[in-house]
Amino acid sequence: MKRTISAMVGKGSLNHNSREFYAPNVDPSRSHLNVEFCKEDIRTVYHELFDAAQQRYNARQTRSDRRIADYYTKISSSKQEKPFHEIVLQIGNKDDTGIGSETADLARQCLEMYVHGFQARNHTLRMFSAHLHMDEATPHVHIDFVPYITGSKRGMDTRVSLKQALAQMGFVGGTRSATEWNLWVQREKQVLADIMREHGIEWEQLGTHEEHLSVLEYKKQERSKEVKELDSAIAQKRTEVEKIEDTLQAVQKQVVDLDKIEAVSAKKALLSDRVTLPRSDFESLFHAAKQYVVYRRQDEQLQKLLDAAQEKIRQLESVLNSLKEKVNDLTNRLAEQTSHHRQSLMLERARRMQMEKENTRLKREKAGMVALLRKHGIVWKENLFTERNER
């Protein structure tokens, strides 16, 4: 069984979502089947998220006109950000997943599982309202959330920002089609598709080129991040190796003072094979012996560390080279898909232009034919024509 997944930007009508009022397409007799996952007052959520940051920001301001009285009011009147965003997800359509069908019940189960994992999966999107609707044509879910970031260097250190909130989760846009939102939505669709698969439903991708390009962009982006992390790890390991090598060389240069040892004179004891030494000479020899043992141990330990670090670098470089090959492959595939997409668009535009010309020509011919029929007393009626009764 295959079903499509639709993801749309919602209007954010909270009263409609919670059925404070009913739109014409809603069947109130089925509203008891709806599921309300959460419904919090957005102002309360704003106090929870931003009050502390607002206080810190205001404390730094020397001018009273720069202090923020109410952050929710400020964002509500902003031209750059919205107080909250909404995503609407639906499985199938009214023809194949209509309310009352067995598939609709499976879709409901899948959407419920999806919503339950939403907050843990999207830590910078504070979900405050989520509703599953079973009183319209097809099961679908509305999720409303406040996107926010922490550690901001501009304005309040915790503030509203959809673009940066998605970026902090790893969704960085790069092209017109691969925006932060599109990349995130594609990931969310894949999450829902995985849940659907567990319920025996396969994701039917009707396939726009933009969707496929977004997937490739996301994969390329993830591999590039891994490459950067490995580059950093290798650089760190090389720094450790350099320090170990410097220490090893310093230890190896530390030699025992041979002049002092050669100056030691031993005297044979009477009636014995033993020799006697002055205390100062004995202490010099004892100190030299201890130094030798310590340096030898340090030398062996440092050599082991050096060998382990170099082996780790070799392993990291091997993984890095593999990832770079994947990035290059994704880059090439992305370029091919982009070229194919452009060619398809050009062909589609040419086909449409040809159809418009053909349509214009047919309209002219039809007008001429209608005029000719009228001249002969025949009335044209959309594929039907009758002879006018002139009597």
Side-chain angles (χ1 to χ4, degrees):
M1 178 174 21
K2 292 184 177 181
R3 292 294 183 270
T4 57
I5 297 176
S6 302
M8 298 152 282
V9 178
K11 295 180 180 179
S13 179
L14 300 179
N15 289 333
H16 166 72
N17 295 346
S18 59
R19 294 300 185 252
E20 296 294 328
F21 73 87
Y22 288 89
N25 63 325
V26 174
D27 181 0
S29 67
R30 288 193 274 110
S31 295
H32 68 281
L33 300 173
N34 294 346
V35 181
E36 183 176 273
F37 300 97
C38 63
K39 180 188 174 185
E40 299 179 68
D41 180 70
I42 189 170
R43 287 184 175 274
T44 302
V45 173
Y46 262 68
H47 286 309
E48 171 198 315
L49 292 175
F50 306 114
D51 271 5
Q54 179 181 325
Q55 291 174 6
R56 289 191 295 270
Y57 175 80
N58 287 341
R60 297 196 304 269
Q61 306 308 310
T62 56
R63 290 172 44 180
S64 59
D65 61 331
R66 289 188 176 179
R67 296 191 181 100
I68 299 172
D70 183 77
Y71 189 57
Y72 176 77
T73 303
K74 175 181 172 63
I75 295 298
S76 296
S77 59
S78 171
K79 295 181 179 179
Q80 295 180 337
E81 297 291 347
K82 295 169 59 178
F84 68 96
H85 295 261
E86 179 179 283
I87 184 172
V88 183
L89 287 121
Q90 174 179 303
I91 298 173
N93 54 54
K94 62 183 180 61
D95 297 321
D96 58 26
T97 319
I99 294 293
S101 66
E102 184 179 347
T103 311
D105 188 58
L106 285 175
R108 175 188 60 78
Q109 295 175 40
C110 294
L111 291 170
E112 284 188 9
M113 288 186 64
Y114 169 82
V115 175
H116 286 310
F118 183 89
Q119 191 62 82
R121 193 169 55 249
N122 299 288
H123 61 276
T124 60
L125 309 178
R126 173 61 161 82
M127 181 174 68
F128 68 94
S129 177
H131 295 82
L132 173 64
H133 289 161
M134 299 293 290
D135 55 1
E136 296 179 43
T138 311
H140 60 274
V141 65
H142 294 255
I143 299 178
D144 300 274
F145 55 86
V146 178
Y148 71 98
I149 59 170
T150 57
S152 174
K153 302 299 182 183
R154 181 172 60 86
M156 287 169 40
D157 51 40
T158 301
R159 61 184 177 87
V160 171
S161 174
L162 177 64
K163 184 183 179 73
Q164 295 301 321
L166 295 176
Q168 282 192 355
M169 291 194 295
F171 302 99
V172 181
T175 64
R176 183 182 298 177
S177 61
T179 62
E180 289 83 2
W181 177 269
N182 287 346
L183 292 172
W184 174 70
V185 167
Q186 190 64 30
R187 196 281 301 272
E188 291 299 292
K189 281 186 174 182
Q190 188 59 58
V191 170
L192 182 54
D194 292 340
I195 296 172
M196 289 164 55
R197 192 180 303 111
E198 293 176 3
H199 289 74
I201 306 173
E202 185 180 347
W203 180 15
E204 181 181 8
Q205 301 186 55
L206 297 181
T208 62
H209 289 285
E210 286 82 358
E211 278 189 353
H212 191 56
L213 291 178
S214 296
V215 173
L216 287 177
E217 281 280 3
Y218 179 68
K219 288 182 178 178
K220 175 186 173 184
Q221 179 178 299
E222 289 299 300
R223 297 296 85 75
S224 297
K225 282 169 56 181
E226 292 176 16
V227 167
K228 288 181 181 179
E229 290 171 359
L230 279 173
D231 275 331
S232 176
I234 289 174
Q236 183 179 354
K237 287 295 178 184
R238 282 178 174 158
T239 301
E240 292 176 9
V241 167
E242 290 174 0
K243 289 181 180 179
I244 292 172
E245 287 178 337
D246 291 343
T247 305
L248 186 58
Q249 290 176 4
V251 169
Q252 290 172 342
K253 287 179 181 178
Q254 292 176 349
V255 294
V256 178
D257 191 343
L258 296 177
D259 292 337
K260 289 183 179 180
I261 295 175
E262 290 175 354
V264 173
S265 58
K267 296 179 180 178
K268 190 173 182 180
L270 294 173
L271 305 175
S272 173
D273 292 335
R274 296 182 178 180
V275 295
T276 59
L277 292 172
R279 176 171 292 278
S280 60
D281 291 341
F282 172 78
E283 289 177 352
S284 295
L285 279 174
F286 184 72
H287 179 67
K290 284 201 302 183
Q291 277 187 318
Y292 175 78
V293 172
V294 169
Y295 294 155
R296 183 65 180 268
R297 287 177 179 172
Q298 286 181 345
D299 192 2
E300 291 174 352
Q301 291 173 354
L302 288 171
Q303 188 63 50
K304 288 179 181 178
L305 288 173
L306 181 61
D307 292 342
Q310 288 176 338
E311 177 60 27
K312 187 65 175 178
I313 287 177
R314 282 192 290 270
Q315 293 174 2
L316 289 172
E317 285 178 338
S318 175
V319 175
L320 180 62
N321 291 333
S322 176
L323 280 172
K324 284 181 177 178
E325 289 178 3
K326 290 181 180 178
V327 170
N328 290 335
D329 178 60
L330 286 170
T331 301
N332 294 334
R333 287 172 57 194
L334 184 61
E336 291 174 3
Q337 289 290 338
T338 303
S339 175
H340 177 66
H341 178 46
R342 286 173 181 166
Q343 291 176 2
S344 298
L345 283 177
M346 291 174 64
L347 290 172
E348 180 64 20
R349 289 194 187 104
R351 188 180 68 83
R352 287 185 180 179
M353 289 177 63
Q354 184 62 34
M355 288 179 65
E356 286 173 1
K357 289 180 181 179
E358 184 68 14
N359 192 33
T360 302
R361 183 184 66 80
L362 291 172
K363 283 181 179 179
R364 283 199 301 265
E365 290 182 0
K366 177 184 175 182
M369 183 65 70
V370 170
L372 181 62
L373 290 171
R374 188 179 294 115
K375 184 177 178 181
H376 289 79
I378 302 173
V379 179
W380 176 272
K381 289 185 179 179
E382 292 299 329
N383 298 329
L384 296 174
F385 58 91
T386 59
E387 187 171 349
R388 181 181 295 165
N389 187 357
E390 296 181 346
R391 291 182 296 172

